[in-house]
Amino acid sequence: MPDTTIAIVYGTRPEIIKLAPVMTALAGRARVVTIATGQHLDLGRQAEAALTGPARW
């Protein structure tokens, strides 16, 4: 397990889509924690699940 933890904060579905390549690039290099601001929460959950696997809510 990597020693570095990186938090990625997003609020909208487009932000998740734009951050998906960043999260993919960080996989295995750092522990990535995603933080949703609650804006468009349902759409955000769907997008995150589609791009990164099941969300841990």
Side-chain angles (χ1 to χ4, degrees):
M1 177 60 117
D3 292 335
T4 304
T5 300
I6 297 176
I8 297 179
V9 181
Y10 60 83
T12 63
R13 183 174 177 257
E15 289 173 349
I16 297 168
I17 293 168
K18 290 175 188 175
L19 288 168
V22 175
M23 290 187 254
T24 302
L26 291 172
R29 298 180 187 183
R31 179 175 176 259
V32 178
V33 177
T34 56
I35 302 167
T37 64
Q39 185 180 8
H40 305 151
L41 195 54
D42 289 336
L43 291 175
R45 286 180 179 165
Q46 292 172 5
E48 183 177 19
L51 296 170
T52 64
R56 297 171 305 275
W57 301 90

